[in-house]
């Protein structure tokens, strides 16, 4: 078996050699990396075309403002079954695959979990051979590039498109009317390959007139000139009115062009639009694409379909995914914004609002409220056939509290689809050592059928296997150490415990709780309480440019990092590393090297999380609250294989309902809390940091602390120190827990999630 595999590899390696020398017209040794990169682009393009499959009838359109897809070269080669042969071929001729990977630029089309989920879904759709395309925007500079200057975040435009070779311009255009003026939306397409699957597309719309020269210093730009700025950035600063308006412009541009494309594709496949349901399923990823509902009704009207029927068609075709229970993230637009940007939708939205008012006497469920605010999520729930949450706990909270009035109206619309991740990128691509090792134990079937990972469970008592797993983790930590040295000139100790918290910077995710823990440990070491192991606390996070508290937390962590580094007594035991510009490329390096995965959001606030799943799959143990999908991870692995702490979601919800949480009381009553928070404005911190920012963070924590850091502080310390002690004192037991985590990760494959969406919501052709 093993022998046959090697021979196959060798033959296809020869094939690759012939193809590459054919394209480059010289020996591989003589080729530059630019030539090899270009040749491999040709190969993937040709190969992915072979997997285009006809769509019989119903196809999915996944509309999302974000697709955080990551670099594509290796991933496409893996999915097309070429990666091993290409790598072997290059290496046989003295060329490195890593050097080629570095030439690939990471598309900047997303900002966090929601966009990454969309990317995992596209991979799984193509892998499961389901017809399903993405629809989004071609942001020129995407999300900003993060840079640390004077221990603070600054933002630079990320000109990723200048190095991109994957997004292809098409000749297809659609006319979109914005504020009464017509603009031409051009379609760009990116091929999405599946693992031994089919090829689908990510459709991205753009304006030809967009002009990056309107960007001034950093990421500021003239927000009024739509023709030049419409698709420059993802989520342009919405802290002011012009920024908010620009978001409405972007959203309508995306959904109007998208809806026109959907209708024209369906008509091409034979739809008369009355039967649109037989040809299309549309998934609305969070509220950003909500205007697709009135826009489709408008377009169907233009085709002569009356309002009532159009509403029925659209409701049957569309489904909505809710991603958050944070009230500020459920989009609401003042009606006058829509009056300005999309006057053509106003009569339709008003009619929909009237329908709702006839259906229900509940004023909390209306679309346009008495203050003239348009509630996008409400429109989604009323006029789609499915509303899903993204983890079991999240869906229960939606049903029982946040969206309870809607659940009472439409109990059958509500359903749960626990998020997942694609194992191709988050195991095969990012952790080849672990992948090969798993294959040597249980065979290759887990690559297509993630539930097969369960078979690893039978090795839980095999000490030599556990030792191998620990060795793989150690090697991955060395790889991360080299990468940090190479990219950020930071050296870390691979023998320390790597505790990683990487995700968007947000108060609800509570990086500040981790910060306070590190200060606490600083004092413990200073007072002679030496920990059982040295730790490296690694962070990766971007803060929204206008989010002051998030930026203050970054500043405090960078400052503390410096303070500890300069204190030889403490630096033996603690090192803080903040990875600059966290993105998919960085995540792929960090996650395989993690020992302890920090998933410490305030219970009830994280809808699901997918970072938690990536870490688990790569053999990290989770230190987490019972929030989002952590709850399902804990159920899967058992309490003895996870470190859970903190208030329950019910306790938190009750505290909010009573409105009786006072941070100041906790601060006054607890000497540990006081010591840690007071340190923020201590002379050593102010000496290395900015007093104003540190004082502002202290004030935030003692006077507001909206996400209840302080009530969980002591429980967090206890649980985390227990984890560190377990790691240090019983490495075999730690490896056994890691093995159990990997073996139970199968449920969190996005293949499973997509199968559920298809079974319950989309019913696509196979
Ligand atoms: C997975 C991922 C996220 C989401 O992480 P959460 O911990 O679920 O918030 C954000 N950014 C990147 C780059 C990711 O890969």
């Amino acid at each position: 078996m093993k022998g046959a595999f090697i021979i196959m590899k060798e033959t296809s390696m020869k094939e690759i050699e012939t193809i590459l020398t054919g394209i480059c017209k010289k020996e591989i040794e003589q080729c530059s990396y630019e030539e090899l990169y270009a040749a491999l682009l040709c190969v993937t393009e040709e190969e992915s075309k072979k997997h285009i499959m006809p769509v019989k009838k119903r196809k999915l359109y996944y509309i999302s403002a974000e697709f955080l897809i990551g670099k594509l070269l290796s991933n496409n080669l893996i999915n097309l079954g070429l990666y091993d042969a290409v790598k072997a071929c290059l290496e046989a001729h003295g060329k490195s695959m890593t050097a080629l990977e570095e030439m690939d630029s990471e598309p900047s089309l997303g900002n966090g979990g929601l966009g990454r989920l969309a990317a995992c879904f596209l991979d799984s759709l193509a892998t499961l051979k389901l017809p399903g395309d993405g629809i989004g925007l071609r942001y020129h500079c995407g999300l900003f590039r993060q840079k640390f200057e004077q221990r603070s975040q600054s933002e630079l435009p990320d000109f990723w498109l200048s190095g991109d070779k994957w997004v292809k311009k098409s000749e297809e255009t659609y006319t979109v009317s914005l504020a009464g003026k017509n603009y031409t939306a051009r379609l760009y397409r990116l091929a999405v390959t599946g693992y031994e699957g089919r090829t689908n597309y990510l459709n991205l719309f753009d304006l030809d007139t967009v002009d990056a020269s309107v960007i001034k210093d950093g990421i500021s730009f003239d927000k009024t000139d739509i023709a030049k700025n419409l698709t420059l950035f993802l989520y342009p600063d919405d802290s002011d009115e012009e920024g908010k308006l620009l978001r409405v412009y972007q959203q309508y541009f995306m959904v109007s062009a998208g809806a026109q494309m959907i209708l024209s594709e369906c008509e091409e496949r034979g739809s008369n639009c009355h039967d649109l349901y037989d040809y299309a399923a549309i998934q609305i990823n969070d509220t950003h694409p909500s205007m697709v509902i009135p826009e489709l009704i408008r377009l169907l009207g233009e085709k002569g379909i009356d309002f009532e029927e159009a509403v029925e068609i659209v409701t049957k075709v569309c489904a909505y995914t809710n991603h958050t229970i944070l009230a500020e993230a459920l989009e609401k637009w003042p009606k006058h914004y829509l009056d300005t940007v999309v006057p053509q939708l106003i009569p339709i939205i008003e009619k929909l609002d009237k329908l709702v008012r006839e259906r229900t006497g509940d004023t909390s469920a209306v679309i346009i409220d008495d203050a003239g605010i348009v509630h996008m999520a409400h429109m989604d729930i009323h006029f789609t056939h499915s509303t899903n949450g993204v983890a079991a706990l999240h869906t229960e909270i939606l049903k029982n509290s946040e969206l309870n009035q809607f659940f009472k109206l439409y109990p059958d619309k509500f359903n749960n689809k626990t998020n997942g991740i694609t194992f191709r990128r988050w195991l095969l691509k990012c952790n080849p050592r672990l992948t090969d090792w798993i294959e040597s134990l249980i065979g290759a079937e887990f690559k297509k059928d993630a539930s097969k990972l369960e078979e690893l469970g039978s090795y839980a008592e095999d000490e030599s296997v556990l030792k191998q797993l620990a060795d793989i983790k150690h090697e991955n930590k060395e790889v991360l150490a080299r990468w940090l040295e190479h990219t950020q000139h930071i050296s870390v100790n691979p023998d320390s415990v790597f505790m990683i918290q990487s995700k968007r910077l947000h108060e609800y995710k509570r990086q500040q709780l981790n910060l306070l823990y590190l200060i606490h440990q600083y004092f413990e070491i200073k007072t002679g309480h030496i920990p059982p192991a040295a730790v490296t606390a690694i962070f990766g996070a971007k803060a929204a440019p206008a989010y002051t508290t998030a930026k203050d937390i970054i500043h405090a962590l960078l400052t503390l990092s410096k303070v500890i580094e300069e204190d030889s007594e403490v630096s033996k035991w603690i090192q803080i590393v903040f990875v600059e510009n966290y993105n998919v490329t960085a995540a792929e390096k960090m996650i395989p090297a993690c020992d302890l995965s920090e998933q410490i959001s305030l219970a009830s606030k994280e809808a699901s999380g997918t970072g938690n799943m990536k870490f688990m799959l790569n053999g990290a143990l989770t230190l987490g609250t019972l929030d989002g999908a952590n709850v399902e991870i804990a159920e899967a692995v058992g309490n003895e294989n996870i470190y859970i702490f903190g208030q329950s979601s019910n306790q938190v919800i009750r505290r909010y309902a009573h409105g009786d949480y006072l941070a100041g009381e906790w601060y006054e009553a607890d000497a540990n809390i006081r010591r840690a928070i007071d340190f923020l404005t201590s002379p050593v911190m102010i000496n290395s940091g900015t007093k104003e920012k540190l004082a502002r963070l202290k004030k935030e924590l003692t006077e507001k602390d909206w996400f209840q850091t302080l009530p969980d502080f002591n429980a967090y310390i206890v649980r985390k120190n227990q984890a560190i002690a377990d790691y240090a004192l019983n490495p075999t037991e730690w490896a056994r827990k890691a093995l159990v985590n990997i073996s139970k990760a199968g449920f969190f494959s996005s293949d499973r999630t997509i199968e559920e969406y298809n079974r319950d919501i989309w019913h696509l052709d196979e």
Side-chain angles (χ1 to χ4, degrees), residues 262-520:
I262 293 169
L263 291 180
S264 91
E265 280 195 8
C266 292
E267 284 177 324
E268 232 165 76
R269 287 201 296 276
S271 172
N272 59 20
C273 291
H274 295 275
D275 57 0
L276 191 65
Y277 173 75
D278 293 336
Y279 294 84
I282 297 175
Q283 193 68 34
I284 299 173
N285 193 32
D286 214 339
T287 51
H288 319 120
S290 301
M291 281 185 280
V292 75
I293 293 170
E295 177 64 1
L296 271 172
I297 295 171
R298 190 185 72 82
L299 293 168
L300 291 172
E302 284 184 349
K303 293 179 186 291
I305 296 178
D306 67 37
F307 179 76
E308 254 162 56
E309 190 193 346
V311 169
E312 206 176 295
I313 293 169
V314 170
T315 307
K316 250 169 83 178
V317 166
C318 295
Y320 159 64
T321 301
N322 175 287
H323 281 270
T324 180
I325 53 172
L326 295 181
E328 71 266 24
L330 285 176
E331 287 182 309
K332 306 183 257 295
W333 301 116
K335 184 167 156 293
H336 67 90
Y337 284 17
L338 302 184
D339 289 333
T340 306
V341 181
V342 285
Q344 64 272 40
L345 291 189
I346 294 295
I348 295 167
I349 297 174
E350 282 173 347
K351 274 167 120 178
L352 293 175
D353 182 59
K354 187 157 163 277
L355 273 181
V356 168
R357 287 170 186 271
E358 286 162 10
R359 265 187 215 169
T360 160
D362 185 348
T363 53
S364 73
V366 298
I367 298 176
I368 309 172
D369 69 19
D370 295 341
I373 305 290
V374 184
H375 296 254
M376 307 312 268
H378 297 186
M379 184 165 69
D380 290 320
I381 302 169
H382 289 296
F383 297 105
T384 63
H385 67 282
S386 161
T387 292
N388 75 280
V390 290
L393 175 67
H394 171 58
T395 302
E396 286 311 303
I397 294 173
L398 293 180
K399 293 202 294 201
N400 301 328
S401 55
E402 291 301 309
L403 299 176
N404 181 254
Q405 73 273 36
F406 294 97
F407 178 57
K408 284 190 199 138
L409 278 173
Y410 312 112
D412 297 338
K413 285 192 187 186
F414 281 76
N415 64 99
N416 176 246
K417 296 288 168 282
T418 298
N419 281 170
I421 55 171
T422 165
F423 285 24
R424 272 71 65 185
R425 185 173 291 272
W426 297 113
L427 181 61
L428 276 59
K429 157 83 175 61
C430 78
N431 202 341
R433 273 181 201 84
L434 185 62
T435 305
D436 289 349
W437 178 76
I438 294 172
E439 186 171 345
S440 74
L441 292 174
I442 63 169
E445 269 179 273
F446 71 95
K447 295 178 184 179
K448 285 232 84 162
D449 176 359
S451 69
K452 288 280 190 285
L453 285 176
E454 285 266 4
E455 292 173 15
L456 283 175
S458 61
Y459 295 95
E461 307 306 328
D462 186 330
E463 289 206 12
S464 69
V465 163
L466 296 177
K467 174 76 173 61
Q468 290 163 7
L469 180 58
D471 289 346
I472 289 168
K473 181 62 77 180
H474 198 271
E475 283 171 41
N476 286 335
K477 288 164 77 172
E478 287 169 352
V479 173
L480 177 62
R482 284 197 292 275
W483 184 77
L484 286 171
E485 184 74 60
H486 174 65
T487 55
Q488 287 190 237
H489 314 293
I490 294 172
S491 53
V492 297
N493 171 14
D495 295 324
S496 63
V497 191
F498 281 17
M499 319 186 295
I500 307 188
Q501 186 171 18
S502 58
K503 45 184 75 246
R504 283 306 296 262
L505 205 309
H506 201 296
E507 286 164 277
Y508 85 81
K509 292 176 181 281
R510 297 200 299 188
Q511 282 92 351
Q512 68 273 29
L513 178 56
N514 201 338
L515 165 72
L516 293 179
Y517 166 85
L518 293 164
I519 297 174
H520 178 83

Side-chain angles (χ1 to χ4, degrees), residues 68 106 111-114 116-117 120 421 425-426 502-504 508-509 582-588 591 598-599 606 608-615:
L68 188 52
E106 176 174 334
N111 95 60
L114 173 144
R116 186 52 236 174
L117 183 78
C120 286
I421 55 171
R425 185 173 291 272
W426 297 113
S502 58
K503 45 184 75 246
R504 283 306 296 262
Y508 85 81
K509 292 176 181 281
Y582 184 60
N583 58 9
V584 176
T585 309
E588 287 170 11
I591 290 168
E598 305 257 7
Q599 307 300 336
E606 183 74 87
S608 164
T610 50
N612 46 5
M613 302 168 187
K614 299 168 197 165
F615 283 106

Side-chain angles (χ1 to χ4, degrees), residues 588-690:
E588 287 170 11
K589 299 282 186 225
M590 293 160 75
I591 290 168
C594 179
D595 296 308
L596 194 63
S597 153
E598 305 257 7
Q599 307 300 336
I600 61 176
S601 55
L602 176 64
S604 81
K605 293 297 175 189
E606 183 74 87
S608 164
T610 50
N612 46 5
M613 302 168 187
K614 299 168 197 165
F615 283 106
M616 169 199 199
L617 175 61
N618 284 275
L621 303 198
T622 303
L623 169 61
T625 48
L626 279 179
D627 198 16
N630 295 353
V631 175
E632 287 155 88
I633 292 176
E635 275 165 16
V637 301
N639 279 333
E640 64 286 10
N641 297 307
I642 190 167
Y643 295 90
I644 295 292
F645 72 95
Q647 305 181 89
S648 70
S649 54
N650 281 330
Q651 283 172 305
V652 172
I653 289 167
R654 244 179 277 132
R655 236 195 251 283
Y656 276 111
H658 293 161
D660 60 359
Y661 173 59
L662 288 175
E665 286 178 0
W666 289 78
Y667 171 77
E668 291 303 333
D670 188 312
N672 279 340
I673 292 177
R674 223 166 36 244
R675 183 175 70 169
I677 293 184
D678 286 347
F679 186 70
L680 288 171
T681 51
S682 65
V684 287
M685 283 292 280
I686 285 172
N687 191 30
S688 290
T690 306

